[in-house]
Amino acid sequence: MTKMEPVRIIGLPPGSLTPTGTAAKALAEADLVVGGTRLLAACPDTLIPEGAHRLAIAGPLKPIIEAVRKNAHKGRKVVVLADGDPLFFGIGKRLGEELGRENLLVEPSLSTVQLAAARLALPWQDMDFVSLHGRDDFSPLYAALVRADLIAVFTDAVNTPAEVARALLERGADCFSMTVLENLGAADERIRPLALPETWGMDFSPLNLVILERQYPPEIALSLGIPDHFYLHQKNLITKLPVRAAGLAHLGVAPDSTVWDLGAGCGSVSIEASHLARRGRVFAVERNKTRAAMIRENIRRTGAWLVDVVLGSMPEALDGLPEPDRIFIGGGLGGEANQDTALLETACRRLAPRGRVVIHCILLDSLHAAKDHFQSLGWYFGVTQLQASATDSLAGDLRFKAQNPVFVLWAEKP
């Protein structure tokens, strides 16, 4: 195969899109110029040779990349235009994956985030970055809200600044302030600090960037082993700390895990699982409205914004959820036998290969039913019995008060 002519990727300054000297020189030698309609329009005909072809990016990238590949293999000079830094949420990453980084020559400009940080005089070395372009869920945003104090959010025509504000208010994440920066670098540049509810019904320029800044920390620091009394819960319906810790250890939650917590109660397992699944997703499924409200309040207290609360009866409530690779069942068993079987069958069917399920059982019938089900499937499983005792006051001194014994049943899908 003939050696590929290096593909030039040129970043144009945000807003003005005025080609620099380097960009102008590359365009003057180009046989093919590729870019979005707005970027192509910013390059006058005087900069591009008469015989050069312009190819607009206005749909799927695959045919565009194939055209770039074919022209480069034929020895033609290809220039791809980008906005700002092509390697920062830009086309540079995809071209590197498809063509090989060794076949690229990248000339970056200022990124939109750099310009935004300068406008707000914000040091941005610790900033987190989220792109909502083309997404139908906000899980990357929720994950960033947990771990970062300063977040830059790239929006699109559907996931607008108003939708970002709505998502934060629905989660109770009103501890973040919002600034919307529109048309950065252009003559009509506008920078607006906005209260979250103020964005409802507002129109924004399609070229905008949202900066979120934490104003105060959560009431309770999100971690493993949060004391039971820190959680709002109903009666004594909470997976107590020693058993919760053992259950999460057996579950083996990874940073990118998708976790189902079925029969979530007050959400203590979901909330602490979200501390581990920091790039994943966590769903707390609960059929009781009061307990679901308690989960939302506990999410607000701990800042565990990654947790999605799903209100509904199981297994029907699981229908629209993404496939899990970790399932915890703490309060989902113990009802009628046929309901237990239906829930277990659904959970086991939906669980990803090599995924894990952990069930906390107090009743022997529930333990035997779950154990028999895993045996019938031929899954590798085990049971650990835990009985913790905690200090309690008595006659001016301390004694140990025993908690209920719990069977921790775990199984792994082949």
Side-chain angles (χ1 to χ4, degrees):
M1 184 178 289
T2 57
K3 190 177 186 304
M4 179 184 287
E5 180 74 18
V7 175
R8 301 290 296 271
I9 309 178
I10 303 292
L12 300 180
S16 69
L17 300 180
T18 304
T20 61
T22 304
K25 184 176 184 298
L27 288 169
E29 301 171 349
D31 298 305
L32 173 65
V33 181
V34 180
T37 306
R38 185 173 61 91
L39 300 178
L40 290 175
C43 298
D45 293 337
T46 54
L47 287 180
I48 300 175
E50 188 176 339
H53 179 62
R54 293 174 182 245
L55 179 58
I57 301 174
L61 270 181
K62 189 172 182 180
I64 301 292
I65 291 171
E66 284 307 307
V68 170
R69 190 197 311 272
K70 287 178 182 178
N71 278 269
H73 273 304
K74 290 177 180 178
R76 294 172 180 162
K77 295 185 182 299
V78 180
V79 173
V80 179
L81 300 175
D83 190 348
D85 186 343
L87 295 172
F88 189 77
F89 291 106
I91 195 171
K93 177 185 176 183
R94 179 72 182 274
L95 288 173
E97 292 169 348
E98 297 286 344
L99 306 179
R101 290 179 296 167
E102 68 277 9
N103 295 311
L104 303 182
L105 293 174
V106 182
E107 293 286 345
S109 181
L110 279 175
S111 70
T112 307
V113 170
Q114 277 180 289
L115 204 52
R119 293 290 190 270
L120 301 176
L122 279 174
W124 61 290
Q125 66 268 16
D126 296 324
M127 187 182 286
D128 216 323
F129 313 103
V130 174
S131 176
L132 299 179
H133 278 286
R135 293 197 66 95
D136 57 4
D137 71 86
F138 279 17
S139 53
L141 174 62
Y142 298 141
L145 294 175
V146 176
R147 65 179 178 254
D149 294 331
L150 194 61
I151 306 164
V153 185
F154 294 86
T155 64
D156 64 15
V158 175
N159 300 317
T160 63
E163 285 299 301
V164 172
R166 179 195 59 77
L168 265 64
L169 288 169
E170 282 188 354
R171 278 292 201 273
D174 52 2
C175 54
F176 284 87
S177 63
M178 170 184 278
T179 303
V180 181
L181 302 98
E182 301 168 89
N183 302 320
L184 277 170
D188 57 346
E189 175 179 298
R190 180 162 61 168
I191 300 172
R192 290 187 282 177
L194 297 170
L196 297 178
E198 190 181 351
T199 62
W200 294 346
M202 290 184 70
D203 292 323
F204 298 91
S205 165
L207 301 175
N208 71 73
L209 180 73
V210 172
I211 300 293
L212 301 174
E213 192 170 358
R214 191 189 299 273
Q215 298 302 307
Y216 52 87
E219 295 173 25
I220 301 166
L222 180 60
S223 65
L224 297 178
I226 295 173
D228 295 345
H229 64 275
F230 282 15
Y231 287 105
L232 179 65
H233 58 281
Q234 191 178 46
K235 298 178 182 176
N236 208 28
L237 296 175
I238 183 171
T239 302
K240 293 182 173 58
L241 194 158
V243 183
R244 183 164 71 241
L248 286 168
H250 280 92
L251 204 57
V253 178
D256 58 352
S257 291
T258 296
V259 182
W260 287 1
D261 178 7
L262 308 184
C266 71
S268 60
V269 171
S270 299
I271 285 169
E272 296 187 23
S274 76
H275 181 63
L276 300 170
R278 57 186 179 275
R279 295 193 304 272
R281 301 193 70 181
V282 179
F283 296 89
V285 185
E286 176 55 56
R287 66 181 180 180
N288 182 282
K289 291 183 179 179
T290 301
R291 291 197 285 269
M294 288 179 175
I295 298 172
R296 294 188 180 94
E297 172 59 16
N298 287 326
I299 289 170
R300 188 198 65 77
R301 291 181 178 187
T302 57
W305 315 118
L306 192 63
V307 179
D308 281 284
V309 181
V310 180
L311 176 63
S313 297
M314 297 178 287
E316 296 78 14
L318 309 178
D319 289 347
L321 302 187
E323 305 299 287
D325 43 35
R326 299 291 187 271
I327 297 177
F328 177 80
I329 304 177
L333 297 181
E336 296 178 10
N338 60 340
Q339 290 177 338
D340 290 355
T341 303
L343 175 58
L344 270 177
E345 287 177 352
T346 301
C348 293
R349 175 173 50 82
R350 296 283 301 277
L351 186 65
R354 301 187 69 182
R356 279 204 160 208
V357 57
V358 170
I359 304 174
H360 283 184
C361 302
I362 296 176
L363 304 176
L364 286 175
D365 283 350
S366 297
L367 172 65
H368 287 301
K371 177 185 70 68
D372 292 346
H373 187 76
F374 293 132
Q375 276 184 320
S376 70
L377 293 174
W379 288 16
Y380 182 55
F381 71 92
V383 182
T384 300
Q385 185 192 36
L386 292 178
Q387 182 170 21
S389 296
T391 54
D392 187 33
S393 298
L394 180 66
D397 202 346
L398 294 176
R399 65 159 182 149
F400 280 100
K401 183 178 180 181
Q403 298 174 350
N404 285 334
V406 177
F407 299 100
V408 180
L409 170 61
W410 58 267
E412 186 171 296
K413 187 171 185 176

